[in-house]
């Protein structure tokens, strides 16, 4: 399949119909839904790739070599190039910066020009995030993507609610990839004294005494639980999960999952 590795076979999953080859029955989806479903291969010719891109304020965070937004931008460009490599087209829905921004599917050079122009606008100012932005973006893609293709979600999955149903619906019709962008400082709080922090998603000011070991322990535990919930939900849905960190060679890591 164009642009993805062996773990990301491009396929449509739909309910079983009389006459379908029983060898194509998808056990995981059938067990999850309670009804038989089959997996059908999707040819990569003229395939449409849809990208759901997170532009929420938390993506402007980064304490390593780059911001999360930088990794997200690079990832979007990689999938954009892969999407047009074999006469395919690329569409995008950007969320988290007010009203969703939609780029209709385009092929070749026009697709990349439009994608670069949108990425140049950057992320949203602090406090403008709606917790339903990701779910709304996925629902919009579901309405726009009329043919089976590839859906790539690029996000840190922070402070976003009720996206599971919309992504599960897309999973039944499209190959799906979730690229989670993280930063090492989101997993642990350093002991650097008293800090005044602004929650980028809400704009709320929070004061924290980082010298207290208990506070650091609770912070680390809550963050680990949050990330485990995201990973478990993606696994349950059968969505291929890729994690990229701002402190690693993200392009090499992404290359292990796509081709």
């Amino acid at each position: 399949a164009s642009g993805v590795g062996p773990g990301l076979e491009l396929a449509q999953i739909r309910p079983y119909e009389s006459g379908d080859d029983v060898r194509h029955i998808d056990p995981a989806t059938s067990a999850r839904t309670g009804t038989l479903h089959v997996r059908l291969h999707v040819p990569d010719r003229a395939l449409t790739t849809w990208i759901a891109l997170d532009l929420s304020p938390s993506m402007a965070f980064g304490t390593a070599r780059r911001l999360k937004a930088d990794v997200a931008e690079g990832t979007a460009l990689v999938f954009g190039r892969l999407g047009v490599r074999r006469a395919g087209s690329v569409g995008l829905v950007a969320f988290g910066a007010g009203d969703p921004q939609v780029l209709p599917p385009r092929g070749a050079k026009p697709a990349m020009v439009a994608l670069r122009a949108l990425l140049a606008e950057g992320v949203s100012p602090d406090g403008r995030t709606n917790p339903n932005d990701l779910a709304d973006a996925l629902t919009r893609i579901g309405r726009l993507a009329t043919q089976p293709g590839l859906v790539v979600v690029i996000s840190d999955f922070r402070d976003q609610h009720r996206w599971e149903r919309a992504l599960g619906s897309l999973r039944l019709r499209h190959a799906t990839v979730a690229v989670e962008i993280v930063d090492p400082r989101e997993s642990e709080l350093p002991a650097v004294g008293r800090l005044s922090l602004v929650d980028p998603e809400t704009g709320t000011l929070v004061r924290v005494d980082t010298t207290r070991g208990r506070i650091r322990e609770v912070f680390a535990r809550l963050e680990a639980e949050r990330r485990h919930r995201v990973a478990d939900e993606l696994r349950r849905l059968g969505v291929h999960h890729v994690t990229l960190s701002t402190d690693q060679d993200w392009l090499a890591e992404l290359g292990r999952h796509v081709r």
Side-chain angles (χ1 to χ4, degrees), residues 59-134:
M59 296 298 289
F61 183 75
T63 60
R65 291 179 287 178
R66 54 188 65 86
L67 303 179
K68 288 191 292 182
D70 297 331
V71 179
E73 175 181 334
T75 301
L77 290 173
V78 168
F79 278 102
R81 294 189 189 100
L82 291 173
V84 302
R85 187 172 65 180
R86 296 186 182 179
S89 58
V90 177
L92 180 142
V93 176
F95 64 93
D99 293 333
Q101 301 178 66
V102 180
L103 297 180
R106 296 181 174 93
K109 185 176 179 179
M112 298 309 298
V113 170
L115 180 57
R116 289 182 183 278
L118 187 145
L119 293 174
E121 297 179 10
V123 301
S124 171
D126 287 355
R128 293 188 57 186
T129 299
N130 183 314
N132 296 319
D133 280 345
L134 174 54

Side-chain angles (χ1 to χ4, degrees), residues 137-159:
L138 297 176
T139 299
R140 185 178 292 250
I141 289 176
R143 293 197 299 265
L144 295 173
T146 57
Q147 298 297 322
L150 174 65
V151 175
V152 182
V153 184
I154 305 172
S155 175
D156 60 5
F157 291 90
R158 302 188 72 86
D159 300 308

Side-chain angles (χ1 to χ4, degrees), residues 19-249:
D20 285 337
D21 190 333
V22 295
R23 293 173 296 181
H24 294 160
I25 291 176
D26 185 83
T29 304
S30 299
R32 188 170 66 249
T33 61
T35 58
L36 289 177
H37 281 71
V38 293
R39 176 189 295 269
L40 304 177
H41 177 70
V42 178
D44 61 9
R45 297 184 303 276
L47 179 76
T48 297
T49 297
W50 280 95
I51 299 173
L53 179 64
D54 191 346
L55 297 181
S56 62
S58 63
M59 296 298 289
F61 183 75
T63 60
R65 291 179 287 178
R66 54 188 65 86
L67 303 179
K68 288 191 292 182
D70 297 331
V71 179
E73 175 181 334
T75 301
L77 290 173
V78 168
F79 278 102
R81 294 189 189 100
L82 291 173
V84 302
R85 187 172 65 180
R86 296 186 182 179
S89 58
V90 177
L92 180 142
V93 176
F95 64 93
D99 293 333
Q101 301 178 66
V102 180
L103 297 180
R106 296 181 174 93
K109 185 176 179 179
M112 298 309 298
V113 170
L115 180 57
R116 289 182 183 278
L118 187 145
L119 293 174
E121 297 179 10
V123 301
S124 171
D126 287 355
R128 293 188 57 186
T129 299
N130 183 314
N132 296 319
D133 280 345
L134 174 54
D136 292 344
L138 297 176
T139 299
R140 185 178 292 250
I141 289 176
R143 293 197 299 265
L144 295 173
T146 57
Q147 298 297 322
L150 174 65
V151 175
V152 182
V153 184
I154 305 172
S155 175
D156 60 5
F157 291 90
R158 302 188 72 86
D159 300 308
Q160 290 295 319
H161 305 155
R162 296 186 293 275
W163 49 265
E164 298 87 350
R165 183 174 180 179
L167 185 55
S169 178
L170 287 172
R171 173 70 178 87
L172 294 177
R173 186 172 177 81
H174 308 277
T176 50
V177 185
V179 182
E180 182 184 11
I181 312 296
V182 302
D183 183 272
R185 278 290 175 253
E186 293 174 319
S187 299
E188 59 180 17
L189 196 63
V192 292
R194 296 181 180 275
L195 292 178
S196 294
L197 307 172
V198 176
D199 183 340
E201 301 291 348
T202 65
T204 302
L205 179 65
V206 180
R207 292 182 172 85
V208 180
D209 183 359
T210 63
T211 62
R212 298 176 61 184
R214 177 59 178 165
I215 289 181
R216 298 198 304 274
E217 291 173 5
V218 170
F219 179 91
R221 175 175 58 81
L222 292 176
E223 178 60 17
E225 291 174 353
R226 186 197 67 81
R227 290 200 55 198
H228 285 152
R229 284 195 298 270
V230 171
D232 288 346
E233 193 59 37
L234 293 173
R235 188 181 305 110
R236 183 186 70 82
L237 294 173
V239 175
H240 190 88
H241 183 198
V242 181
T243 301
L244 303 179
S245 179
T246 58
D247 66 343
Q248 70 179 169
D249 186 343

